[in-house]
């Protein structure tokens, strides 16, 4: 079974995003994991993979994990640079399942996911920036296109609504 949790920067907790649970393991029981709680919370705190090949004996093992029959688990940070975006947790019913080779492979997947998420965020930022610049260009065109100030105000408000949703806008001048 595997789960992805995203970091909530407001309280540095991990919020459940998705799980894949082939076989008999159930999805993760807790939708929120606090920083330092369980293996996933420890990986968030330490910023590096945490491997528990004898899960029940590991100091970060949870009662829920023991009850669910977890034999071994690895929690891997998904990073962009030094910022942790989330944690991937992979669980096996078998003890000693996560060999160093498997941990390296899973770490490479987590690193690739971090780059993918960062590229997606940058692409969204770029699109938003391009839209904002188009509105700013349109506002500049409106201001220089007419001497009718009422028309400028109206068009300006319409263009600004494309950037910021609002119900009402007022333009006030000191006389």
């Amino acid at each position: 079974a595997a789960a992805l949790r995203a970091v909530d920067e407001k309280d540095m907790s991990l919020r459940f995003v998705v799980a894949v649970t082939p076989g008999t393991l159930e999805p993760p029981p807790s939708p929120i994991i606090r920083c330092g709680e369980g293996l996933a919370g420890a990986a968030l705190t330490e910023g590096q993979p945490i491997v528990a090949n004898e899960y029940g004996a590991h100091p970060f093992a949870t009662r829920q994990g023991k009850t669910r029959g977890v034999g071994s688990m690895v929690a891997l940070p998904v990073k962009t640079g030094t910022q942790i975006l989330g944690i991937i947790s992979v669980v096996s019913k078998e003890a000693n399942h996560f060999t160093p080779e498997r941990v390296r492979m899973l770490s490479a997947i987590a690193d690739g996911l971090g780059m993918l998420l960062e590229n997606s965020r940058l692409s969204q930022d770029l699109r938003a920036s391009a839209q904002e610049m188009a509105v700013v260009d349109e506002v500049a065109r409106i201001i220089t296109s007419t001497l009718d100030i009422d028309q400028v105000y109206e068009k300006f408000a319409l263009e600004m609504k494309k950037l910021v949703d609002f119900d009402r806008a007022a333009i006030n001048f000191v006389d």
Side-chain angles (χ1 to χ4, degrees), residues 52-56 69-73 92-98 102:
N53 270 321
E54 305 255 345
Y55 183 82
V70 173
S72 56
M73 178 178 170
S92 175
K93 285 196 169 267
E94 298 175 30
N96 300 309
H97 181 75
F98 296 104
R102 284 183 176 152

Side-chain angles (χ1 to χ4, degrees), residues 9-22:
E9 294 181 3
K10 287 181 268 178
D11 61 1
M12 289 308 292
S13 63
L14 293 167
R15 308 267 181 215
F16 177 77
V17 175
V18 67
V20 177
T21 57

Side-chain angles (χ1 to χ4, degrees), residues 101-120:
E101 295 83 27
R102 284 183 176 152
V103 173
R104 277 194 296 277
M105 180 188 65
L106 290 169
S107 293
I109 291 169
D111 291 344
L113 181 58
M115 287 186 280
L116 178 69
L117 292 172
E118 177 64 7
N119 286 344
S120 175

